[in-house]
Structures are given as C-alpha cells and as structure tokens.
Amino acid sequence: MLRRALPVGALVLTLAVAACSGGGHSSGHPGGGSTASGHADAGSTASGHADAGSTASGHAGGGSTASPSPGAVFNDADAAFAEHMSVHHQQAVVMSALATERASDPRVKKLAAEIEAAQAPEIATMAAWLSDWGREPAATGDGHGNVTGHESMPGMMSAADMAKLVESTGEAFDNRFLTMMIAHHEGAVTMARDQIANGANPEAKALAAKIVTDQQAEIATMKAML
C-alpha cells in the first residue's frame, strides 16, 4: 500500500506545480492588458498628434479666411477717378470758400458750407487711396481752383470763370456761384457714373455712388434758388 501511495503523492505534487504554472500565465494576461493599455496610450498620443494637426490646420484655415484689404483691389479706372475727382473737388471747395465772404443769400452760404464740409474729407480719402495704390498724388493747382492740365474734365471751370467769380459780390455772386456750381456738379456726376461702370475697387465705387446721390440732390436745390 505504501508503494502505491507514493505515485499518488507525486501526482498531487505535479498537479500543484502545474496549477502554479497556470496561475503565472493567468497573471501574465493582465500584464498583456497593461500592454494593451500601453497601446491605448499610444493611440491617445496619436490622437493628440491628430488634434495638434487639426489645430495647426485650424490656424492655417484662419489665415486663409483673412481677405485682402479692399484697397488692394483696383484698376486704372479707379486710380483715374481718385486723381481727377480730387482735383474736381478742390475747385468746388475753393468756390464754396468764396461764398463765405461774397454771397448775400444765406441759403447760398449754407449750401456752400455743406459742399465744402462734404468734399474736403473725400479729397483726403482719395489721396489715401492713391498712396496705398502706389500712384502719384493728385495735382493741387494754384490755390485758386485752377489746375493746369485738368481744364477739360467735365464741369471744370476755366481760369477766366474763376476770376469772374472772385470779382463778383452780393446777388451777382449768388447767381454766378449757383450757375457755375450746377455745371460743376453735373460734371462730377458724369465722372462718378463712369467710375461706377468701369471701376473695380468697391470703396471707390461706393464713393462714386454717394457723389451721384448727393450732388444730384444739390443740383435740384440750386436750381430752385435761381
């Protein structure tokens, strides 16, 4: 009996050892789980890189949405409009300034002041455009509304016309001023319409549209005063 018991004991010992070995493998699987977790972490890292890429793409996208300044879009018609209308406005401002001392009708004085207040800032705006576009500034003339080389523009008064206006006073000035300014405004409207038709710069086209609206209204007002 004792001889037969020994193999049984050995069998039990073998099974115990096998069980311990199996536990080791079982313990190894959680370790494998850790390895899977490590892969997950790597995946997270990859995701992080993807997110970073998305962020970079977002910044790139942000850059692409920035549109160029409207002033950067222009053509020769825009540049010609800014130059010529600046000169045209200069003469209107000189004519309007004369009304302060020479006009007798308070309505003429008021209208002249409004014309000067509206057109002087527009001259500054157009001068800035020409500078931004790399074009030469508009001519400034002799300070009396006379600009050599621009006499043929629509509505521009000649040096002789301006001299007659300077010599006038009272009611004679009022009538001459209104007659001259109506013709001057009509010329400006013609130039502004050309800009609307041929220009490319949205700001310049918007100013041209404003000139048409404003000066047509002033033409009607001046005609009613005569």
Side-chain angles (χ1 to χ4, degrees):
M1 292 294 292
L2 186 55
R3 280 183 182 179
R4 292 182 181 176
L6 286 175
V8 172
L11 178 60
V12 170
L13 180 59
T14 302
L15 291 173
V17 171
C20 290
S21 258
H25 286 299
S26 179
S27 174
H29 286 300
S34 297
T35 303
S37 173
H39 287 303
D41 290 343
S44 298
T45 303
S47 174
H49 287 304
D51 291 342
S54 299
T55 303
S57 176
H59 286 303
S64 64
T65 56
S67 59
S69 168
V73 180
F74 73 97
N75 60 17
D76 288 343
D78 295 311
F81 169 75
E83 178 190 356
H84 298 157
M85 190 61 79
S86 292
V87 173
H88 207 271
H89 273 20
Q90 287 175 35
Q91 189 175 69
V93 168
V94 170
M95 292 168 64
S96 297
L98 291 172
T100 303
E101 299 177 356
R102 291 171 171 75
S104 60
D105 190 328
R107 296 175 302 166
V108 172
K109 287 181 181 252
K110 180 177 180 294
L111 176 64
E114 290 172 351
I115 291 172
E116 185 173 1
Q119 296 194 22
E122 291 175 353
I123 293 172
T125 295
M126 290 184 283
W129 291 344
L130 289 171
S131 176
D132 290 345
W133 299 338
R135 297 301 182 101
E136 292 294 321
T140 56
D142 61 1
H144 301 289
N146 303 310
V147 185
T148 303
H150 292 78
E151 299 90 347
S152 62
M153 288 193 301
M156 281 292 281
M157 299 296 114
S158 66
D161 292 328
M162 293 300 293
K164 290 178 182 177
L165 186 64
V166 170
E167 294 166 359
S168 304
T169 57
E171 186 177 348
F173 176 90
D174 295 341
N175 290 334
R176 189 177 295 278
F177 173 84
L178 292 171
T179 301
M180 289 173 62
M181 191 60 83
I182 287 171
H184 200 272
H185 272 29
E186 288 173 343
V189 168
T190 297
M191 294 167 63
R193 284 177 172 159
D194 286 344
Q195 164 60 15
I196 293 170
N198 302 311
N201 182 271
E203 293 177 338
K205 288 167 76 76
L207 177 58
K210 180 179 181 297
I211 288 171
V212 170
T213 299
D214 292 351
Q215 297 204 18
Q216 281 184 326
E218 290 172 350
I219 289 169
T221 299
M222 290 187 285
K223 286 181 175 180
M225 290 183 190
L226 287 173

